[in-house]
């Protein structure tokens, strides 16, 4: 009798800002409870992390139980060494002074040219001023130092070669315009904190992260789920967790939360809401188009996707880079995922069972009581 080939399971965690990351932690806690016979989310063979998902994938691949991470964030436990807003968002005063200096130089140059009757058009002046702006509003150098401290505090590896499980972190090379995969090839030697920051460098929000003479930006700019990395490594059960879905708004149902009265349409919430909705539309389209291609090219592989319902507003109502909503998003991630796992129990039972992973819906329960 032939011994079956070892099962290769993979967990792909997409990006979604701070609130998206909190959703993923809650969703993973529910998935962890759903598994039976000792299998946990830490037991996947391979992890792929992008943007906010890069940090979570790194902790799981390094052996940190998801319940510990969930509970530590929920309780704001000092022993967990929770991140503070200033660990991520911190404006560099010296950089600001440099911007003012360069802007003043552009304006003085324009005045000098005008004095010589070489007038600068408003469009040219705006273009020159845009060139003196930084590559991002915030630097991730503070976040990188926090990650180094966090990994040491929890005895997590600092290098890919030290990881218990295979881990790949995605980013994009700004100058080449191509995807970069930390954890393989020339990027296998990058420190894990640097790789997580590179994958999290959301354009405009954060400056690109430089390593090895190259500049890297957010891994979700091109592909979303990066499941092809898992397929190339032989995975045949791939679970994709995506926190970003467009909100299906019903203008006739109720007003949207906003300081203005009578906001029923998404456009009524302003520029940022329109931008976020458009980004989520793009993310979901790219995700599902990619998965359709992979299902066609790898018919023997099983792909499972967990994401919020488009009719539930919780993910839409919170700024994806917001910090204050983290507890609510933990709860939402657990509860919405638990509902999905129960509703589609037969689907997940068959899919996981095919790969010798047993599940039990009775282990799912309301998340731990939240405060605040």
């Amino acid at each position: 009798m032939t011994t079956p080939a070892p099962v290769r399971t993979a967990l792909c965690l997409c990006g979604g800002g701070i609130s998206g990351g909190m959703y993923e932690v809650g969703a993973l806690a529910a998935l962890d409870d759903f598994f039976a016979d000792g299998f946990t989310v830490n037991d996947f063979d391979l992890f792929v992390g992008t943007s906010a998902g890069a940090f979570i994938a790194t902790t799981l691949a390094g052996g940190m139980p998801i319940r510990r991470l969930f509970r530590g964030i929920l309780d704001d436990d000092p022993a967990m060494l929770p991140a503070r807003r200033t660990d991520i968002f911190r404006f560099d005063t010296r950089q600001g002074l440099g911007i003012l200096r360069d802007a003043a130089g552009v304006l003085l140059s324009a005045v000098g040219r005008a004095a010589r009757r070489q007038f600068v058009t408003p469009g040219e002046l705006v273009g020159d001023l845009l060139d003196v702006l930084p590559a991002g509003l915030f630097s991730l150098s503070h976040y990188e130092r926090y990650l180094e401290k966090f990994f040491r505090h929890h005895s997590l590896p600092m290098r890919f070669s030290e990881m218990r499980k295979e881990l790949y972190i995605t980013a994009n090379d700004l100058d080449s315009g191509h995807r970069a995969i930390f954890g393989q090839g020339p990027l296998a030697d990058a420190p894990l904190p640097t790789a997580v920051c590179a994958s999290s460098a959301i354009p405009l929000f954060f400056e690109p992260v430089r390593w090895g003479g190259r500049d890297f930006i957010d891994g979700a700019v091109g592909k979303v789920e990066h499941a092809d990395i898992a397929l190339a490594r032989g995975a045949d059960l791939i679970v994709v967790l995506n926190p970003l879905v467009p909100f299906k708004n019903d203008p006739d149902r109720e007003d949207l939360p906003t300081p203005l009265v009578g906001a029923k349409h998404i456009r009524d919430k302003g520029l940022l809401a329109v931008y976020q909705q458009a980004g989520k539309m793009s993310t979901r389209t790219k995700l599902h188009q990619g998965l359709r291609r992979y299902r066609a090219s790898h018919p023997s592989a099983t792909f499972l996707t967990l994401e919020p319902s488009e009719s539930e507003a919780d993910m839409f109502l919170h700024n994806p880079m917001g910090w204050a909503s983290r507890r609510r998003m933990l709860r939402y991630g657990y509860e919405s995922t638990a509902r999905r796992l129960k509703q589609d129990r037969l689907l997940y039972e068959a899919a996981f069972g095919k790969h010798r992973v047993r599940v039990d819906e009775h282990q799912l329960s309301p998340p731990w009581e939240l405060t605040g």
Side-chain angles (χ1 to χ4, degrees):
M1 182 176 180
T2 305
T3 303
V7 173
R8 295 280 300 177
T9 56
L11 184 61
C12 298
L13 304 180
C14 304
I18 293 175
S19 61
M22 295 302 100
Y23 166 85
E24 289 190 352
V25 172
L28 288 166
L31 186 61
D32 200 63
D33 285 349
F34 190 55
F35 290 139
D37 298 337
F39 189 87
T40 74
V41 293
N42 297 89
D43 293 325
F44 282 88
D45 297 315
L46 181 148
F47 296 84
V48 180
T50 300
S51 198
F55 168 75
I56 302 168
T58 301
T59 61
L60 294 179
M64 177 178 287
I66 190 63
R67 182 171 294 221
R68 182 182 177 191
L69 184 60
F70 183 107
R71 192 75 234 184
I73 297 172
L74 180 66
D75 295 339
D76 202 19
D77 184 2
M80 176 55 65
L81 201 66
R84 305 301 177 192
R85 181 185 293 272
T86 53
D87 290 322
I88 302 176
F89 305 107
R90 189 184 299 183
F91 183 74
D92 191 328
T93 304
R94 287 180 299 178
Q95 182 185 68
L97 293 174
I99 295 171
L100 292 176
R101 179 200 63 211
D102 293 341
V106 169
L107 293 174
L108 288 173
S109 175
V111 171
R113 292 170 64 182
R116 298 190 299 273
R117 296 188 175 278
Q118 298 174 355
F119 297 102
V120 179
T121 67
E124 291 174 327
L125 181 59
V126 170
D128 290 341
L129 289 172
L130 287 175
D131 283 343
V132 307
L133 293 178
L137 292 176
F138 304 99
S139 167
L140 282 166
S141 59
H142 302 289
Y143 184 45
E144 185 171 4
R145 287 195 289 272
Y146 163 77
L147 289 175
E148 291 171 353
K149 185 166 59 173
F150 181 91
F151 290 166
R152 285 195 298 268
H153 181 75
H154 293 286
S155 300
L156 293 171
M158 299 291 285
R159 298 279 177 176
F160 285 93
S161 59
E162 301 167 354
M163 271 290 166
R164 301 182 184 184
K165 298 293 182 72
E166 278 191 61
L167 170 67
Y168 300 97
I169 294 175
T170 64
N172 285 281
D173 187 307
L174 184 61
D175 288 306
S176 73
H178 294 149
R179 181 175 68 173
I181 303 174
F182 287 86
Q184 70 177 31
L187 299 180
D189 295 329
L192 282 165
T194 302
V196 172
C197 287
S199 184
S200 305
I202 301 173
L204 300 184
F205 267 104
F206 299 112
E207 293 180 340
V209 172
R210 178 162 292 182
W211 188 80
R214 309 294 297 181
D215 290 316
F216 300 96
I217 59 172
D218 185 21
V221 169
K223 289 189 176 183
V224 176
E225 81 303 325
H226 301 279
D228 59 314
I229 298 173
L231 289 170
R233 296 296 300 136
D236 55 6
L237 171 61
I238 300 174
V239 178
V240 178
L241 193 54
N242 169 46
L244 295 181
V245 297
F247 173 45
K248 188 176 182 180
N249 181 46
D250 182 359
D252 296 325
R253 187 180 63 180
E254 60 185 15
D255 289 351
L256 295 172
T258 175
L260 303 177
V261 178
K264 292 182 177 293
H265 298 271
I266 291 175
R267 65 172 292 166
D268 297 334
K269 283 182 62 65
L271 181 148
L272 184 59
V274 173
Y275 176 78
Q276 291 174 358
Q277 180 78 339
K280 292 172 184 177
M281 292 165 64
S282 175
T283 293
R284 195 176 200 190
T285 298
K286 290 189 291 184
L287 170 65
H288 289 279
Q289 285 181 344
L291 290 177
R292 278 197 294 270
R293 289 195 300 270
Y294 298 143
R295 287 188 175 104
S297 60
H298 295 78
S300 62
T302 300
F303 298 88
L304 297 174
T305 305
L306 290 171
E307 56 188 7
S309 167
E310 61 182 12
S311 62
E312 295 176 323
D314 295 65
M315 290 300 291
F316 173 78
L317 299 178
H318 297 278
N319 183 337
M321 294 306 296
W323 189 253
S325 62
R326 61 188 186 276
R327 286 184 169 185
R328 184 175 180 181
M329 297 318 304
L330 283 171
R331 179 174 184 170
Y332 174 77
Y334 189 102
E335 291 180 339
S336 63
T337 303
R339 285 195 299 271
R340 172 80 177 274
L341 294 173
K342 289 179 178 179
Q343 290 168 359
D344 298 329
R345 176 183 59 83
L346 295 179
L347 168 67
Y348 291 105
E349 189 175 67
F352 285 115
K354 177 183 175 183
H355 297 274
R356 299 184 292 281
V357 176
R358 201 174 72 82
V359 299
D360 183 1
E361 65 171 316
H362 300 294
Q363 296 184 152
L364 289 167
S365 60
W368 302 271
E369 186 66 23
L370 304 185
T371 58

